[in-house]
Amino acid sequence: MTDKLQTIVNREEQLVNTDNRAEFSLGKFTPIELAWDKLIINATIKVGKTTTEKCLLNNLKGVMKPAHFTAILGPSGSGKTTLLNFLSGRLISDNLKISGELSLNGKRINDIDKFNDQMAYVMQDDILLATFSPREAFYFSANMRLTISAEEKAQRVEALIRELGITKCADTRVGNTQIRGVSGGERKRASIGVELLTNPSLIFLDEPTTGLDSSTALQVIDLLKRLAKNGRTIVSTIHQPSSEIFNNFDRLMLLVRGNIIYQGDAEQAIDYFATMGYQCPNFSNPSDYFMKLMNEEGLLVEKIQAGESDDFDEAQIKAEFEQRLEGFIQNYKTSNMIKELGNS
């Protein structure tokens, strides 16, 4: 184990021993740093007698660090969920060709499935039984997945209920569109809690704020931020976060058409793009600005706002966006961020 990871382990042990709130003190865990290199994923698409190949992820290199909350942003079809599913070992399809290297805590691994007991995945759509209460869902999951004593299971379940802030609704049915139940934010926190029961080191989430209002979404993100602070590796795709949510990210990855154009500290992203001539306007939401940069539609909006839209047709907009995207890709490949990945 590296000195950096050992420091995180020591910090977690301190928190377990000193935090009377039992904050996720579900036992010791080994912090995980997950890295990948030369990752290429191509999909074979067959329509009638015609077979074509589409690149989903284009020769990517990256790292997910412990004690960091990493957010993956990008337009629809950019490869966010594909990357998340690959890293979590959930990408299984006969029409995919996958190549690349994967390493965990600096050691090359061939099969991420062997580490499933250290990982958790929270899907975008909650799959809790509507007739279960959060407490019942926790106990059911604990009995199915944990080998600890009944007393330890009970302690873990009750600690999670307190820490997730769902004490008031712990015995209310989860509900669905037909059955009235807990709120959307409470349901999402319960879904995260079900995965936390196994005390994972690495947690993947697919757009956890979808369908939530801004206040509730911020509560969920605050929970994830606290998880990261205590040494876990938190990785989440997220759809157009608010400014407040953006400020909770430790690291940011921007994906466009299977290419990474930024990967580093979230707070440095604005300055990075400013050096290329793309200055985020003052008092604007950075994530909204980045999404505009990563879309052809965003470029069209820029032309309209500048009064230039009459001079451009669809082909010209597409060509100009391709040129912009290529500039982003090449600038990233020559940036210090790539050098830092090599030193991770």
Side-chain angles (χ1 to χ4, degrees), residues 23 30 55 71 118 134 164 178 220 222 254 282 296 309:
E23 167 7 303
T30 301
C55 182
Q118 300 178 54
L164 294 168
Q178 284 80 39
V220 171
D222 179 66
L254 299 180
N282 293 332
E296 287 184 29
S309 59

Side-chain angles (χ1 to χ4, degrees), residues 259-297:
N259 296 281
I260 296 176
I261 63 169
Y262 183 85
Q263 182 179 190
D265 292 342
E267 62 182 13
Q268 295 179 8
I270 293 176
D271 290 339
Y272 173 79
F273 283 97
T275 61
M276 290 187 284
Y278 300 97
Q279 179 64 58
C280 179
N282 293 332
F283 312 112
S284 295
N285 182 350
S287 62
D288 287 344
Y289 182 69
F290 296 147
M291 287 296 290
K292 187 168 72 171
L293 291 181
M294 295 187 288
N295 272 293
E296 287 184 29
E297 291 79 5

Side-chain angles (χ1 to χ4, degrees), residues 32 34 36 64 70 72 80-81 83-90 102 112 115-116 118-124 192 195 200-208 224 233-237:
I32 286 180
L34 187 63
W36 66 94
M64 300 302 179
T70 300
I72 305 175
K80 304 187 299 296
T81 302
L83 177 60
L84 200 71
N85 288 340
F86 168 76
L87 295 177
S88 59
R90 299 170 64 93
L102 196 60
I112 193 67
F115 303 91
N116 275 343
Q118 300 178 54
M119 300 188 299
Y121 190 105
V122 180
M123 293 185 290
Q124 181 176 348
I192 295 172
E195 298 301 328
S201 302
L202 173 58
I203 303 175
F204 297 99
L205 305 101
D206 188 14
E207 303 200 6
L224 300 177
T233 306
I234 308 298
V235 183
S236 177
T237 61

Side-chain angles (χ1 to χ4, degrees), residues 85-98:
N85 288 340
F86 168 76
L87 295 177
S88 59
R90 299 170 64 93
L91 193 63
I92 302 173
S93 180
D94 294 335
N95 72 325
L96 294 180
K97 289 166 46 176
I98 304 172

Side-chain angles (χ1 to χ4, degrees), residues 156-171:
R156 185 171 294 192
V157 167
E158 298 306 321
L160 274 175
I161 287 173
R162 290 194 301 270
E163 288 303 326
L164 294 168
I166 55 175
T167 303
K168 292 182 179 179
C169 69
D171 296 306

Side-chain angles (χ1 to χ4, degrees), residues 3 49 55 77 105 131 153 159 176 185 231 255-256 270 275 318:
D3 293 340
K49 295 183 179 180
C55 182
N105 290 348
T131 54
K153 291 176 185 175
N176 56 23
L255 266 176
V256 190
I270 293 176
T275 61
K318 183 175 182 179

Side-chain angles (χ1 to χ4, degrees), residues 101-338:
E101 302 172 0
L102 196 60
S103 61
L104 192 148
N105 290 348
K107 294 183 179 180
R108 176 83 178 271
I109 60 174
N110 295 319
D111 189 358
I112 193 67
D113 290 341
K114 295 179 180 178
F115 303 91
N116 275 343
D117 59 330
Q118 300 178 54
M119 300 188 299
Y121 190 105
V122 180
M123 293 185 290
Q124 181 176 348
D125 298 319
D126 303 322
I127 57 172
L128 300 175
L129 287 174
T131 54
F132 269 14
S133 68
R135 179 176 276 114
E136 287 172 331
F138 287 3
Y139 273 105
F140 178 80
S141 180
N143 288 329
M144 293 292 291
R145 304 165 71 185
L146 302 179
T147 57
I148 57 180
S149 68
E151 182 180 358
E152 289 174 310
K153 291 176 185 175
Q155 290 175 349
R156 185 171 294 192
V157 167
E158 298 306 321
L160 274 175
I161 287 173
R162 290 194 301 270
E163 288 303 326
L164 294 168
I166 55 175
T167 303
K168 292 182 179 179
C169 69
D171 296 306
T172 302
R173 287 189 299 185
V174 170
N176 56 23
T177 53
Q178 284 80 39
I179 302 173
R180 185 170 182 176
V182 300
S183 69
E186 291 165 339
R187 184 183 298 111
K188 180 60 68 176
R189 279 177 278 167
S191 296
I192 295 172
V194 166
E195 298 301 328
L196 284 176
L197 282 167
T198 59
N199 192 25
S201 302
L202 173 58
I203 303 175
F204 297 99
L205 305 101
D206 188 14
E207 303 200 6
T209 60
T210 298
L212 304 180
D213 61 67
S214 58
S215 177
T216 305
L218 186 58
Q219 292 175 14
V220 171
I221 295 302
D222 179 66
L223 167 64
L224 300 177
K225 179 75 170 182
R226 287 191 287 130
L227 283 167
K229 281 186 175 180
N230 285 323
R232 288 175 171 80
T233 306
I234 308 298
V235 183
S236 177
T237 61
I238 195 158
H239 182 67
Q240 290 186 284
S242 66
S243 297
E244 287 180 291
I245 289 177
F246 184 87
N247 290 334
N248 277 280
F249 301 152
D250 296 310
R251 289 176 59 79
L252 178 69
M253 178 184 292
L254 299 180
L255 266 176
V256 190
R257 297 183 182 176
N259 296 281
I260 296 176
I261 63 169
Y262 183 85
Q263 182 179 190
D265 292 342
E267 62 182 13
Q268 295 179 8
I270 293 176
D271 290 339
Y272 173 79
F273 283 97
T275 61
M276 290 187 284
Y278 300 97
Q279 179 64 58
C280 179
N282 293 332
F283 312 112
S284 295
N285 182 350
S287 62
D288 287 344
Y289 182 69
F290 296 147
M291 287 296 290
K292 187 168 72 171
L293 291 181
M294 295 187 288
N295 272 293
E296 287 184 29
E297 291 79 5
L299 179 58
L300 180 59
V301 170
E302 290 178 24
K303 300 300 181 184
I304 292 174
Q305 291 175 339
E308 304 174 11
S309 59
D310 293 339
D311 300 329
F312 287 84
D313 59 26
E314 185 176 342
Q316 288 175 306
I317 290 291
K318 183 175 182 179
E320 188 169 334
F321 178 76
E322 294 288 348
Q323 185 178 11
R324 171 185 288 186
L325 178 57
E326 184 60 27
F328 286 155
I329 294 171
Q330 294 305 319
N331 200 75
Y332 170 72
K333 287 181 178 179
T334 57
S335 69
N336 290 330
M337 289 182 282
I338 291 292

